[in-house]
Amino acid sequence: PQQAMEHLNHAIRDSLRCSDVYTRYSISQYIILLPTVTMEKGEMVMKRILNNFRRLYSRKDLIVDYKLQPVLPSGTLSCRPW
C-alpha cells in the first residue's frame, strides 16, 4: 500500500496546475484544492489523476475512491462566541 500511495502522490502532482494545492491527509487520503474549477472540470481532473495513477500502478489490488465537494469562501462559516 505504501508504494501505491507514492504512485498516487506522483499521479496527483503530475496532473495538477501550479495553482492547485494538495497534501496527504492521512495514511490513505489526500486532499486536493482546485481553485476556480467547476464540478465538471473537477471530474475531468480526477479522471486524469486516476488515468495517470493506473499507468504508474498497474496492480488491481487497490481501489481509488474520491468525492468532489465545493469549498465555501471564507467568512461564510458561523463561529460560536466563547
Coordinates of all heavy atoms in Angstrom, one line a residue:
P1 N 0.8 -1.2 0.0 CA 0.0 0.0 0.0 C 0.8 1.3 0.0 O 0.4 2.3 -0.6 CB -0.8 -0.1 1.3 CG -0.9 -1.6 1.6 CD 0.4 -2.1 1.0
Q2 N 2.0 1.3 0.7 CA 2.8 2.5 0.7 C 3.3 2.8 -0.7 O 3.3 4.0 -1.1 CB 4.0 2.3 1.7 CG 4.9 3.5 1.8 CD 4.2 4.7 2.3 OE1 3.2 4.6 3.1 NE2 4.6 5.9 1.8
Q3 N 3.7 1.8 -1.5 CA 4.1 2.1 -2.8 C 3.0 2.6 -3.7 O 3.2 3.6 -4.5 CB 4.7 0.8 -3.5 CG 5.2 1.0 -4.9 CD 5.6 -0.3 -5.5 OE1 5.2 -1.4 -5.1 NE2 6.4 -0.2 -6.5
A4 N 1.8 2.2 -3.5 CA 0.6 2.7 -4.2 C 0.4 4.1 -3.8 O 0.1 4.9 -4.7 CB -0.6 1.8 -3.9
M5 N 0.5 4.5 -2.6 CA 0.3 5.9 -2.2 C 1.4 6.8 -2.8 O 1.1 7.9 -3.1 CB 0.3 6.0 -0.6 CG -0.9 5.4 0.0 SD -2.5 6.0 -0.7 CE -2.5 7.6 0.0
E6 N 2.6 6.3 -2.9 CA 3.7 7.1 -3.5 C 3.4 7.3 -5.0 O 3.6 8.4 -5.5 CB 5.0 6.4 -3.4 CG 5.5 6.4 -1.9 CD 6.8 5.6 -1.8 OE1 7.5 5.3 -2.8 OE2 7.1 5.3 -0.6
H7 N 2.9 6.3 -5.7 CA 2.5 6.4 -7.1 C 1.3 7.4 -7.2 O 1.2 8.2 -8.1 CB 2.1 5.1 -7.7 CG 3.3 4.2 -7.9 ND1 4.3 4.6 -8.7 CD2 3.6 2.9 -7.5 CE1 5.2 3.6 -8.8 NE2 4.8 2.6 -8.1
L8 N 0.4 7.3 -6.3 CA -0.8 8.2 -6.3 C -0.3 9.7 -6.1 O -0.8 10.6 -6.8 CB -1.8 7.9 -5.2 CG -3.1 8.7 -5.2 CD1 -3.8 8.7 -6.6 CD2 -4.0 8.2 -4.1
N9 N 0.7 9.9 -5.2 CA 1.2 11.2 -5.0 C 1.8 11.7 -6.3 O 1.6 12.9 -6.7 CB 2.3 11.1 -3.9 CG 3.0 12.5 -3.7 OD1 2.3 13.4 -3.3 ND2 4.3 12.5 -3.9
H10 N 2.6 10.9 -7.0 CA 3.1 11.3 -8.3 C 2.0 11.6 -9.3 O 2.1 12.6 -10.1 CB 4.1 10.3 -8.8 CG 5.4 10.2 -8.0 ND1 6.3 11.2 -7.8 CD2 5.8 9.2 -7.2 CE1 7.3 10.8 -7.1 NE2 7.0 9.6 -6.7
A11 N 1.0 10.8 -9.3 CA -0.1 11.0 -10.3 C -0.8 12.3 -10.0 O -1.1 13.0 -11.0 CB -1.0 9.8 -10.2
I12 N -1.0 12.6 -8.8 CA -1.7 13.9 -8.4 C -0.8 15.0 -8.8 O -1.2 16.0 -9.5 CB -2.0 13.9 -6.9 CG1 -3.1 12.9 -6.5 CG2 -2.5 15.3 -6.5 CD1 -3.3 12.7 -5.1
R13 N 0.5 15.0 -8.4 CA 1.4 16.1 -8.7 C 1.5 16.4 -10.2 O 1.5 17.5 -10.6 CB 2.8 15.7 -8.1 CG 3.8 16.8 -8.3 CD 5.2 16.3 -8.0 NE 5.5 15.3 -9.1 CZ 6.4 14.4 -8.9 NH1 7.0 14.2 -7.7 NH2 6.6 13.5 -9.9
D14 N 1.6 15.3 -10.9 CA 1.8 15.5 -12.4 C 0.5 15.8 -13.1 O 0.5 16.1 -14.3 CB 2.3 14.2 -13.0 CG 3.8 13.9 -12.5 OD1 4.4 14.9 -11.9 OD2 4.2 12.8 -12.6
S15 N -0.7 15.8 -12.4 CA -2.0 16.1 -13.1 C -2.5 17.4 -12.8 O -3.5 17.8 -13.4 CB -3.0 15.0 -12.6 OG -2.6 13.7 -13.0
L16 N -1.9 18.1 -11.8 CA -2.5 19.4 -11.4 C -1.8 20.6 -12.0 O -0.7 20.5 -12.4 CB -2.4 19.5 -9.8 CG -3.1 18.5 -9.0 CD1 -3.0 18.7 -7.6 CD2 -4.6 18.4 -9.4
R17 N -2.5 21.7 -12.0 CA -1.9 23.0 -12.4 C -1.1 23.5 -11.3 O -1.2 23.1 -10.1 CB -3.0 24.0 -12.7 CG -4.1 23.6 -13.7 CD -5.3 24.5 -13.7 NE -5.9 24.5 -12.3 CZ -6.9 25.3 -12.0 NH1 -7.4 26.1 -12.9 NH2 -7.4 25.2 -10.8
C18 N -0.2 24.5 -11.5 CA 0.6 25.0 -10.5 C -0.2 25.8 -9.4 O 0.3 26.0 -8.3 CB 1.8 25.9 -11.0 SG 1.3 27.2 -12.0
S19 N -1.4 26.3 -9.8 CA -2.2 27.0 -8.8 C -3.0 26.0 -7.9 O -3.7 26.5 -6.9 CB -3.2 27.9 -9.5 OG -4.0 27.2 -10.4
D20 N -3.1 24.8 -8.2 CA -3.8 23.8 -7.4 C -2.9 23.4 -6.2 O -1.7 23.4 -6.3 CB -4.2 22.5 -8.2 CG -5.1 22.9 -9.4 OD1 -5.8 23.9 -9.3 OD2 -5.0 22.2 -10.4
V21 N -3.6 22.9 -5.2 CA -2.8 22.5 -4.0 C -3.3 21.1 -3.5 O -4.5 20.8 -3.6 CB -3.1 23.5 -2.8 CG1 -2.4 23.1 -1.5 CG2 -2.8 24.9 -3.2
Y22 N -2.4 20.3 -3.0 CA -2.7 19.0 -2.5 C -1.8 18.7 -1.3 O -0.7 19.2 -1.2 CB -2.7 17.9 -3.5 CG -1.4 17.4 -3.9 CD1 -0.9 16.2 -3.4 CD2 -0.5 18.1 -4.7 CE1 0.3 15.7 -3.7 CE2 0.7 17.7 -5.1 CZ 1.2 16.5 -4.6 OH 2.4 16.0 -4.9
T23 N -2.3 17.8 -0.4 CA -1.5 17.4 0.7 C -2.0 16.0 1.1 O -3.2 15.7 0.9 CB -1.5 18.4 1.9 OG1 -0.6 18.0 2.9 CG2 -2.9 18.4 2.5
R24 N -1.1 15.3 1.7 CA -1.5 14.0 2.3 C -2.2 14.2 3.6 O -1.7 14.9 4.5 CB -0.3 13.1 2.5 CG -0.7 11.7 2.8 CD 0.3 10.7 2.3 NE -0.1 9.3 2.6 CZ 0.7 8.3 2.4 NH1 1.9 8.5 1.9 NH2 0.4 7.1 2.8
Y25 N -3.4 13.7 3.7 CA -4.3 14.0 4.9 C -4.1 12.9 5.9 O -4.2 13.1 7.1 CB -5.7 14.1 4.4 CG -6.7 14.4 5.5 CD1 -6.8 15.6 6.1 CD2 -7.7 13.4 5.8 CE1 -7.7 15.9 7.1 CE2 -8.6 13.7 6.8 CZ -8.6 14.9 7.4 OH -9.5 15.2 8.4
S26 N -4.0 11.7 5.5 CA -3.8 10.5 6.4 C -3.0 9.5 5.6 O -2.5 9.7 4.5 CB -5.1 10.0 6.8 OG -5.7 9.3 5.8
I27 N -2.8 8.3 6.2 CA -2.1 7.3 5.6 C -2.7 6.8 4.3 O -2.0 6.3 3.4 CB -1.9 6.1 6.6 CG1 -0.8 5.1 6.1 CG2 -3.2 5.4 6.8 CD1 -0.4 4.1 7.1
S28 N -4.0 7.0 4.1 CA -4.6 6.6 2.9 C -5.5 7.7 2.2 O -6.3 7.3 1.4 CB -5.5 5.4 3.2 OG -6.5 5.8 4.1
Q29 N -5.2 8.9 2.5 CA -6.0 10.0 1.9 C -5.2 11.2 1.5 O -4.2 11.6 2.2 CB -7.1 10.5 2.9 CG -8.1 9.5 3.3 CD -9.1 10.0 4.4 OE1 -8.7 10.6 5.3 NE2 -10.3 9.7 4.2
Y30 N -5.6 11.8 0.5 CA -5.1 13.1 0.0 C -6.3 14.1 0.0 O -7.4 13.7 -0.3 CB -4.5 13.1 -1.4 CG -3.1 12.4 -1.4 CD1 -3.0 11.0 -1.6 CD2 -2.0 13.1 -1.2 CE1 -1.8 10.4 -1.6 CE2 -0.7 12.6 -1.2 CZ -0.6 11.2 -1.4 OH 0.6 10.6 -1.4
I31 N -6.0 15.4 0.2 CA -6.9 16.5 0.0 C -6.4 17.3 -1.2 O -5.2 17.6 -1.2 CB -7.1 17.3 1.2 CG1 -7.8 16.6 2.3 CG2 -7.9 18.6 0.9 CD1 -8.0 17.3 3.6
I32 N -7.2 17.6 -2.1 CA -6.8 18.4 -3.3 C -7.7 19.6 -3.4 O -8.9 19.5 -3.4 CB -6.9 17.6 -4.6 CG1 -6.1 16.3 -4.5 CG2 -6.5 18.4 -5.8 CD1 -6.4 15.3 -5.6
L33 N -7.1 20.8 -3.5 CA -7.9 22.0 -3.7 C -7.7 22.5 -5.1 O -6.5 22.7 -5.5 CB -7.5 23.1 -2.7 CG -7.7 22.8 -1.2 CD1 -7.1 23.9 -0.3 CD2 -9.2 22.6 -0.9
L34 N -8.8 22.7 -5.8 CA -8.7 23.2 -7.2 C -9.4 24.5 -7.3 O -10.6 24.6 -7.6 CB -9.5 22.1 -8.1 CG -9.0 20.7 -8.0 CD1 -9.9 19.7 -8.7 CD2 -7.6 20.6 -8.5
P35 N -8.7 25.6 -7.1 CA -9.4 26.9 -7.1 C -9.9 27.2 -8.5 O -9.3 26.9 -9.5 CB -8.2 27.9 -6.8 CG -7.1 27.1 -6.2 CD -7.3 25.7 -6.7
T36 N -11.1 27.8 -8.5 CA -11.8 28.3 -9.7 C -12.1 27.2 -10.7 O -12.2 27.4 -11.9 CB -10.9 29.4 -10.5 OG1 -9.8 28.8 -11.1 CG2 -10.5 30.5 -9.6
V37 N -12.3 26.0 -10.2 CA -12.7 24.9 -11.0 C -14.2 24.5 -10.8 O -14.6 24.4 -9.6 CB -11.8 23.7 -10.7 CG1 -12.3 22.4 -11.4 CG2 -10.4 24.0 -11.2
T38 N -14.9 24.3 -11.8 CA -16.3 23.8 -11.7 C -16.3 22.4 -11.4 O -15.3 21.7 -11.5 CB -17.0 24.0 -13.1 OG1 -16.4 23.2 -14.1 CG2 -17.0 25.5 -13.5
M39 N -17.5 21.9 -11.0 CA -17.6 20.4 -10.7 C -17.3 19.6 -11.9 O -16.6 18.5 -11.8 CB -19.0 20.1 -10.2 CG -19.3 20.7 -8.8 SD -18.2 20.1 -7.5 CE -19.2 18.7 -7.0
E40 N -17.7 20.0 -13.1 CA -17.4 19.3 -14.3 C -15.9 19.2 -14.6 O -15.3 18.2 -14.9 CB -18.1 19.9 -15.5 CG -19.6 19.8 -15.5 CD -20.2 20.9 -14.6 OE1 -19.6 21.9 -14.2 OE2 -21.4 20.7 -14.1
K41 N -15.2 20.3 -14.4 CA -13.7 20.3 -14.6 C -13.1 19.5 -13.5 O -12.1 18.9 -13.7 CB -13.2 21.8 -14.6 CG -13.7 22.6 -15.7 CD -12.8 22.5 -16.9 CE -13.3 23.5 -17.9 NZ -12.5 23.5 -19.1
G42 N -13.6 19.6 -12.3 CA -13.1 18.7 -11.2 C -13.1 17.3 -11.5 O -12.2 16.5 -11.3
E43 N -14.3 16.8 -12.2 CA -14.4 15.4 -12.6 C -13.3 15.1 -13.6 O -12.7 14.0 -13.6 CB -15.8 15.2 -13.2 CG -16.8 15.0 -12.2 CD -16.7 13.6 -11.5 OE1 -16.0 12.7 -11.9 OE2 -17.4 13.5 -10.4
M44 N -13.1 16.0 -14.5 CA -12.0 15.8 -15.6 C -10.6 15.7 -14.9 O -9.8 14.8 -15.3 CB -12.0 17.0 -16.6 CG -13.2 17.0 -17.5 SD -13.3 18.5 -18.5 CE -11.8 18.5 -19.3
V45 N -10.4 16.5 -13.9 CA -9.1 16.4 -13.2 C -8.9 15.1 -12.5 O -7.9 14.4 -12.6 CB -8.9 17.6 -12.2 CG1 -7.7 17.4 -11.3 CG2 -8.9 18.9 -12.9
M46 N -10.0 14.6 -11.8 CA -10.0 13.4 -11.1 C -9.7 12.2 -12.1 O -9.0 11.3 -11.8 CB -11.2 13.1 -10.3 CG -11.3 14.1 -9.1 SD -9.8 14.2 -8.1 CE -9.6 12.5 -7.6
K47 N -10.4 12.2 -13.3 CA -10.2 11.2 -14.3 C -8.7 11.2 -14.7 O -8.1 10.1 -15.0 CB -11.2 11.4 -15.4 CG -12.6 11.0 -15.0 CD -13.5 11.2 -16.2 CE -14.9 10.9 -15.7 NZ -15.9 11.2 -16.7
R48 N -8.2 12.4 -14.9 CA -6.8 12.5 -15.4 C -5.8 11.9 -14.3 O -4.9 11.1 -14.6 CB -6.4 13.9 -15.6 CG -5.0 14.1 -16.2 CD -4.8 15.5 -16.8 NE -5.0 16.6 -15.8 CZ -5.9 17.5 -15.9 NH1 -6.7 17.6 -17.0 NH2 -6.1 18.5 -15.0
I49 N -6.1 12.2 -13.0 CA -5.3 11.7 -11.9 C -5.4 10.1 -11.9 O -4.4 9.4 -11.8 CB -5.8 12.2 -10.5 CG1 -5.4 13.7 -10.5 CG2 -5.2 11.5 -9.4 CD1 -6.0 14.5 -9.3
L50 N -6.6 9.6 -12.0 CA -6.8 8.2 -12.0 C -6.1 7.5 -13.2 O -5.5 6.4 -13.0 CB -8.3 7.8 -12.0 CG -9.1 8.2 -10.7 CD1 -10.5 8.0 -10.8 CD2 -8.5 7.5 -9.5
N51 N -6.2 8.1 -14.3 CA -5.5 7.5 -15.5 C -4.0 7.5 -15.3 O -3.4 6.5 -15.6 CB -5.9 8.3 -16.8 CG -7.3 8.0 -17.2 OD1 -7.9 6.9 -16.9 ND2 -7.9 8.9 -18.0
N52 N -3.5 8.6 -14.8 CA -2.1 8.7 -14.5 C -1.6 7.7 -13.5 O -0.6 7.0 -13.6 CB -1.6 10.1 -14.1 CG -1.7 11.0 -15.3 OD1 -1.6 10.6 -16.5 ND2 -1.8 12.3 -15.0
F53 N -2.5 7.5 -12.4 CA -2.2 6.5 -11.4 C -2.1 5.1 -11.9 O -1.2 4.3 -11.6 CB -3.2 6.7 -10.3 CG -3.0 5.6 -9.2 CD1 -1.9 5.6 -8.4 CD2 -4.0 4.6 -9.1 CE1 -1.8 4.6 -7.4 CE2 -3.8 3.6 -8.1 CZ -2.7 3.6 -7.3
R54 N -3.1 4.8 -12.8 CA -3.2 3.4 -13.3 C -2.0 3.1 -14.2 O -1.5 2.0 -14.3 CB -4.5 3.2 -14.1 CG -5.7 3.1 -13.2 CD -5.6 1.8 -12.4 NE -6.6 1.8 -11.3 CZ -6.4 1.3 -10.1 NH1 -5.3 0.7 -9.8 NH2 -7.4 1.4 -9.2
R55 N -1.4 4.1 -14.9 CA -0.2 4.0 -15.7 C 1.0 3.6 -14.8 O 1.8 2.9 -15.1 CB 0.1 5.2 -16.5 CG -0.7 5.2 -17.8 CD -0.1 6.2 -18.8 NE -0.6 7.6 -18.5 CZ -1.7 8.1 -18.9 NH1 -2.6 7.4 -19.6 NH2 -2.0 9.4 -18.6
L56 N 1.0 4.3 -13.6 CA 2.1 4.1 -12.7 C 2.0 2.8 -11.8 O 3.0 2.2 -11.5 CB 2.2 5.3 -11.7 CG 2.6 6.6 -12.4 CD1 2.4 7.8 -11.4 CD2 4.0 6.6 -12.9
Y57 N 0.7 2.5 -11.5 CA 0.5 1.4 -10.6 C -0.5 0.5 -11.2 O -1.7 0.7 -11.2 CB -0.1 1.9 -9.2 CG -0.2 0.9 -8.2 CD1 0.9 0.5 -7.4 CD2 -1.4 0.3 -7.8 CE1 0.8 -0.4 -6.4 CE2 -1.5 -0.6 -6.8 CZ -0.4 -1.0 -6.1 OH -0.5 -1.9 -5.1
S58 N 0.0 -0.6 -11.9 CA -0.9 -1.4 -12.7 C -1.6 -2.6 -11.9 O -2.5 -3.2 -12.5 CB -0.1 -2.0 -13.9 OG 1.0 -2.8 -13.3
R59 N -1.2 -2.8 -10.7 CA -1.8 -3.8 -9.9 C -3.3 -3.5 -9.6 O -3.6 -2.3 -9.5 CB -1.1 -4.0 -8.6 CG 0.3 -4.6 -8.7 CD 1.0 -4.7 -7.5 NE 0.3 -5.3 -6.4 CZ 0.7 -5.5 -5.2 NH1 1.9 -5.0 -4.8 NH2 0.0 -6.1 -4.3
K60 N -4.1 -4.4 -9.6 CA -5.6 -4.2 -9.4 C -6.0 -4.4 -8.0 O -7.2 -4.6 -7.7 CB -6.4 -5.2 -10.3 CG -6.0 -5.0 -11.8 CD -6.3 -3.7 -12.3 CE -6.0 -3.6 -13.8 NZ -5.9 -2.3 -14.3
D61 N -5.1 -4.5 -7.0 CA -5.5 -4.7 -5.6 C -5.9 -3.5 -4.8 O -6.0 -3.6 -3.6 CB -4.3 -5.5 -4.9 CG -3.1 -4.6 -4.9 OD1 -2.9 -3.7 -5.7 OD2 -2.2 -4.9 -4.1
L62 N -6.0 -2.4 -5.5 CA -6.3 -1.1 -4.8 C -7.5 -0.4 -5.5 O -7.5 -0.3 -6.7 CB -5.1 -0.2 -4.8 CG -5.2 1.1 -4.1 CD1 -5.1 0.9 -2.6 CD2 -4.1 2.0 -4.6
I63 N -8.4 0.1 -4.7 CA -9.5 0.9 -5.3 C -9.3 2.3 -4.9 O -9.1 2.6 -3.7 CB -10.9 0.4 -4.8 CG1 -11.1 -1.1 -5.2 CG2 -12.0 1.3 -5.2 CD1 -12.3 -1.7 -4.6
V64 N -9.3 3.2 -5.8 CA -9.2 4.7 -5.5 C -10.6 5.2 -5.5 O -11.4 5.1 -6.5 CB -8.4 5.4 -6.6 CG1 -8.3 6.9 -6.3 CG2 -7.0 4.8 -6.6
D65 N -11.0 5.8 -4.4 CA -12.3 6.4 -4.2 C -12.1 7.9 -4.0 O -11.2 8.3 -3.3 CB -13.0 5.8 -3.0 CG -14.5 6.2 -2.9 OD1 -15.1 6.5 -3.9 OD2 -15.0 6.2 -1.8
Y66 N -13.0 8.7 -4.5 CA -12.9 10.2 -4.3 C -14.3 10.8 -4.2 O -15.3 10.2 -4.6 CB -12.1 10.8 -5.5 CG -12.8 10.8 -6.8 CD1 -13.6 11.8 -7.2 CD2 -12.6 9.7 -7.7 CE1 -14.2 11.8 -8.5 CE2 -13.2 9.7 -8.9 CZ -14.0 10.8 -9.3 OH -14.6 10.7 -10.5
K67 N -14.3 12.0 -3.7 CA -15.5 12.8 -3.6 C -15.2 14.2 -3.9 O -14.2 14.8 -3.3 CB -16.1 12.6 -2.2 CG -17.3 13.5 -1.9 CD -18.0 13.2 -0.6 CE -17.2 13.7 0.5 NZ -17.9 13.7 1.8
L68 N -15.9 14.8 -4.8 CA -15.8 16.2 -5.1 C -16.8 17.0 -4.2 O -17.9 16.6 -4.1 CB -16.1 16.5 -6.6 CG -15.1 15.9 -7.6 CD1 -15.6 16.2 -9.0 CD2 -13.7 16.5 -7.4
Q69 N -16.3 18.1 -3.7 CA -17.1 18.9 -2.8 C -16.7 20.3 -2.9 O -15.5 20.7 -2.9 CB -16.9 18.4 -1.4 CG -17.8 19.0 -0.3 CD -17.5 18.2 1.0 OE1 -17.0 17.1 1.1 NE2 -17.9 18.9 2.1
P70 N -17.7 21.3 -3.0 CA -17.3 22.7 -3.1 C -16.8 23.2 -1.7 O -17.2 22.6 -0.7 CB -18.6 23.4 -3.5 CG -19.7 22.4 -3.1 CD -19.1 21.1 -3.2
V71 N -15.9 24.1 -1.8 CA -15.4 24.7 -0.6 C -16.0 26.1 -0.4 O -16.0 26.9 -1.4 CB -13.9 24.9 -0.6 CG1 -13.3 25.6 0.6 CG2 -13.2 23.5 -0.8
L72 N -16.6 26.4 0.7 CA -17.2 27.7 1.0 C -16.2 28.8 1.1 O -15.1 28.5 1.7 CB -18.1 27.6 2.2 CG -19.2 26.6 2.2 CD1 -19.8 26.6 3.6 CD2 -20.2 27.0 1.2
P73 N -16.4 29.9 0.5 CA -15.5 31.0 0.7 C -15.3 31.4 2.2 O -16.3 31.2 3.0 CB -16.1 32.2 0.0 CG -17.2 31.6 -0.9 CD -17.6 30.3 -0.2
S74 N -14.2 31.9 2.6 CA -14.0 32.3 4.0 C -15.0 33.4 4.4 O -15.4 34.2 3.5 CB -12.6 32.7 4.2 OG -12.3 33.9 3.5
G75 N -15.4 33.4 5.6 CA -16.3 34.4 6.1 C -17.8 33.9 6.1 O -18.6 34.6 6.6
T76 N -18.0 32.7 5.4 CA -19.4 32.3 5.4 C -19.7 31.3 6.5 O -20.8 30.9 6.7 CB -19.7 31.6 4.0 OG1 -18.8 30.5 3.9 CG2 -19.5 32.6 2.9
L77 N -18.7 30.9 7.2 CA -18.9 29.9 8.3 C -19.2 30.7 9.6 O -18.6 31.7 9.8 CB -17.7 29.1 8.5 CG -17.2 28.2 7.4 CD1 -15.9 27.5 7.7 CD2 -18.3 27.2 7.0
S78 N -20.2 30.3 10.3 CA -20.5 31.0 11.5 C -19.7 30.4 12.7 O -19.4 29.2 12.7 CB -22.0 30.8 11.9 OG -22.3 29.5 12.0
C79 N -19.3 31.3 13.6 CA -18.5 30.9 14.7 C -19.3 31.0 16.0 O -20.1 32.0 16.1 CB -17.2 31.7 14.8 SG -16.1 31.5 13.4
R80 N -19.0 30.2 16.9 CA -19.7 30.3 18.2 C -18.9 31.3 19.1 O -17.7 31.2 19.2 CB -19.7 28.9 18.9 CG -20.5 27.9 18.2 CD -20.5 26.6 19.1 NE -21.2 25.6 18.4 CZ -21.3 24.4 18.7 NH1 -20.6 24.0 19.7 NH2 -22.0 23.5 18.0
P81 N -19.7 32.2 19.7 CA -19.0 33.1 20.6 C -18.5 32.3 21.9 O -19.2 31.5 22.4 CB -20.1 34.1 21.0 CG -21.4 33.4 20.7 CD -21.1 32.4 19.6
W82 N -17.4 32.6 22.4 CA -16.9 31.9 23.6 C -17.2 32.8 24.7 O -17.3 33.1 25.6 CB -15.4 31.8 23.5 CG -15.0 30.8 22.4 CD1 -14.6 31.2 21.1 CD2 -15.1 29.4 22.4 NE1 -14.4 30.1 20.4 CE2 -14.7 29.0 21.1 CE3 -15.5 28.5 23.3 CZ2 -14.7 27.6 20.7 CZ3 -15.5 27.1 22.9 CH2 -15.0 26.7 21.7

